[in-house]
Amino acid sequence: MSSSIVIFDLDGTLIDTIGDLSAAVEYALQQGGFPGHTVDEYRSMVGHGIRNLVTRALPEGSPVETIDLSLSRFLEYYTKHIDVLSRPYPGIHEMLGELSVRGIKLAVTSNKFQAGTETLIRRFFPDIPFAKILGNAPGLPLKPDPEVVRLAIEAAFAGSPPDLGRVHSRVALRLRSGLAAAEYGRWPVAQPATHAKRLETLEQKHETGDEEARSIPTTIYPDRARSAGRRDRALPPHELSDSPSLAVLVGDSATDIRTARNAGIGAIGVSWGFRPRADLAEADIVVDTVDQLKEVLLTETINT
């Protein structure tokens, strides 16, 4: 049984929800007599919780009372039409099933409200045994706070998560160096042997404390997020070990990548979501198709 966990974002990663989200906000705006927006404009607004979505859609400087009323109208409409246009991206359901069959733990962390997150998961993935489904709930901070990652890992491993730090470092190095991409034959990079040597050199430098930090992802040094001036609360670095474990977060936005960084785990960006590919620059790797994502996850989580 694998001791790996893959934590997925929901909107723009597993499910294309932009049609229903934009329709619900448009309804709320029309009820209040406010101008609307295009679907493409809504793509840049989603991902930070529904209150932030409604606030950004309203005219700048709208009073709290207007925001509250518009949010209520949004929820009234959205809860009744949450799955009218929304659909999983092609191949996602099959990929989740294969990961589960291989014994890989699965979880969802979303900034969508909890009831909506659970509704969509039950609607589209009723047969997938997610260890934890986390949305925006009272007392739970939004991503990029890493608390959701900690809760997902604890739930997946019954409160006794394995020591993930050593393998986080190795997987991040593999992905960032291009070794995995070369093995998969998809990306035009140097020969795997070259990257294998590069990986070995980086790991040796890490073990001896060599400061080649510029070429090593921040996953290895989670405290670098703080030293770089980020305000996101970062978890303490994991103890290094040889535990055959892996945790990785898959998402379509810079918020998802920062969440993974703050939690000290691997970060995979998907380019089919709501954000432009440039927003995923800090990911360990960016994939363009579900088949690529499945190959990366199966190779790293099974063979690590």
Side-chain angles (χ1 to χ4, degrees):
M1 176 71 71
S2 170
S3 56
S4 302
I5 178 172
V6 182
I7 303 169
F8 291 94
D9 172 53
L10 181 64
D11 300 77
T13 300
L14 295 179
I15 303 176
D16 184 356
T17 57
I18 195 64
D20 289 325
L21 285 168
S22 58
V25 182
E26 285 293 291
Y27 171 82
L29 294 177
Q30 290 169 7
Q31 291 296 303
F34 300 111
H37 305 277
T38 67
V39 172
D40 282 341
E41 287 173 331
Y42 281 118
R43 292 180 187 277
S44 66
M45 299 181 193
V46 299
H48 305 284
I50 58 172
R51 185 176 185 85
N52 284 322
L53 169 60
V54 170
T55 300
R56 296 182 68 180
L58 286 166
E60 187 174 356
S62 294
V64 173
E65 295 77 13
T66 299
I67 295 172
D68 289 342
L69 179 56
S70 299
L71 178 58
S72 176
R73 289 167 171 167
F74 167 89
L75 285 170
E76 175 190 2
Y77 184 95
Y78 190 61
T79 53
K80 296 177 181 178
H81 304 86
I82 193 170
D83 59 356
V84 174
L85 301 174
S86 298
R87 294 292 183 273
Y89 290 99
I92 285 290
H93 187 274
E94 293 79 5
M95 179 196 70
L96 293 174
E98 187 164 355
L99 292 173
S100 178
V101 167
R102 299 292 187 96
I104 298 167
K105 309 289 187 181
L106 305 174
V108 172
T109 61
S110 175
N111 281 346
K112 182 189 291 292
F113 62 106
Q114 183 70 34
T117 300
E118 293 177 354
T119 296
L120 287 173
I121 292 298
R122 287 196 303 267
R123 166 70 173 83
F124 293 113
F125 309 115
D127 58 329
I128 303 299
F130 288 103
K132 193 71 174 178
I133 300 169
L134 291 167
N136 182 9
L140 187 64
L142 294 173
K143 295 182 293 185
D145 191 292
E147 178 69 5
V148 289
V149 171
R150 183 186 67 79
L151 292 174
I153 293 175
E154 285 187 352
F157 297 101
S160 301
D163 183 355
L164 302 167
R166 179 67 180 89
V167 180
H168 290 166
S169 302
R170 179 171 180 81
V171 170
L173 284 169
R174 284 173 58 86
L175 296 176
R176 185 64 64 86
S177 71
L179 173 61
E183 290 175 344
Y184 306 145
R186 167 62 178 83
W187 292 275
V189 296
Q191 293 300 313
T194 302
H195 287 286
K197 183 63 177 176
R198 170 66 171 160
L199 175 66
E200 180 182 356
T201 301
L202 287 175
E203 288 192 316
Q204 288 173 351
K205 289 178 178 294
H206 176 51
E207 295 295 338
T208 59
D210 189 288
E211 277 294 316
E212 196 184 355
R214 297 180 190 84
S215 62
I216 300 179
T218 54
T219 301
I220 296 176
Y221 300 106
D223 57 319
R224 288 183 182 277
R226 294 192 296 271
S227 64
R230 293 180 183 164
R231 293 174 294 175
D232 311 326
R233 181 168 59 87
L235 294 180
H238 293 285
E239 293 294 328
L240 295 179
S241 77
D242 292 321
S243 170
S245 309
L246 165 70
V248 63
L249 191 151
V250 180
D252 74 315
S253 71
T255 297
D256 295 314
I257 306 308
R258 286 197 298 271
T259 305
R261 289 281 174 262
N262 291 341
I265 68 174
I268 297 178
V270 300
S271 66
W272 57 75
F274 301 156
R275 297 290 192 274
R277 188 186 179 95
D279 283 11
L280 305 172
E282 293 189 22
D284 294 315
I285 195 170
V286 179
V287 295
D288 298 312
T289 68
V290 174
D291 283 342
Q292 289 176 15
L293 176 61
K294 180 173 72 172
E295 194 165 8
V296 169
L297 292 175
L298 287 176
T299 299
E300 295 301 334
T301 54
I302 297 299
N303 297 334
T304 298

